[in-house]
Amino acid sequence: MPWLAVPYADEARRSRLNRLYGIQGIPTLIVLDAKGDVITRQGRVEVLNDTECREFPWHPKPVLELTDSNAVQLNEGPCLVLFVDSEDDGESEAAKQLIQPIAEKIIAKYKAKEEEAPLLFFVAGEDDMTDSLRDYTNLPEAAPLLTILDMSARAKYVMDVEEITPEIVEAFVSDFLADKLKPEPV
């Protein structure tokens, strides 16, 4: 490794870092700024997706396309996932643009309170990983399909409507954050 790392044998320091940053497994790569503030907890995923480090230091994007390498983030807390028919590449980009303002608003609101956003935001197309996720969570094959998946709580929230609009997404997120939605088991 060309970067500084905590030696595995230094259990005391590893333990302090685990508590400080909520690390639950290895390998973990958390990128910090010069002041020690977290830029991203997903450094490992970012390195895998950006091997030439063109987007370093990998500031979080408000909306991610769900991929094999970042699907691990589904286990870290509630995630809004908008499933689309990705045979049309434009549909995936349109879906990102639809939910991005809502994601940015939520992220900014919690950042102002110096808290982490309570949701991650994803767009999922059609591929084997997405099919497996739908099977595992027993989601219908509908597209578009708006969901919030909370894998750690083994819960899902589903908004199955003909057309997804910004107003529908915003109301769905607001209701989730206000505990107004009834979870279904995963």
Side-chain angles (χ1 to χ4, degrees), residues 15-41:
S15 181
R16 284 192 311 274
L17 288 170
N18 288 347
R19 283 191 307 278
L20 180 63
Y21 294 108
I23 297 168
Q24 297 185 8
I26 55 172
T28 296
L29 178 59
I30 297 174
V31 180
L32 307 173
D33 66 14
K35 295 185 292 184
D37 294 329
V38 174
I39 294 173
T40 182
R41 296 177 174 282

Side-chain angles (χ1 to χ4, degrees), residues 27 37 39 86 90 116 121 129 156-157:
D37 294 329
I39 294 173
S86 71
E116 283 193 41
F121 294 83
M129 192 276 304
K156 65 182 176 186
Y157 306 83

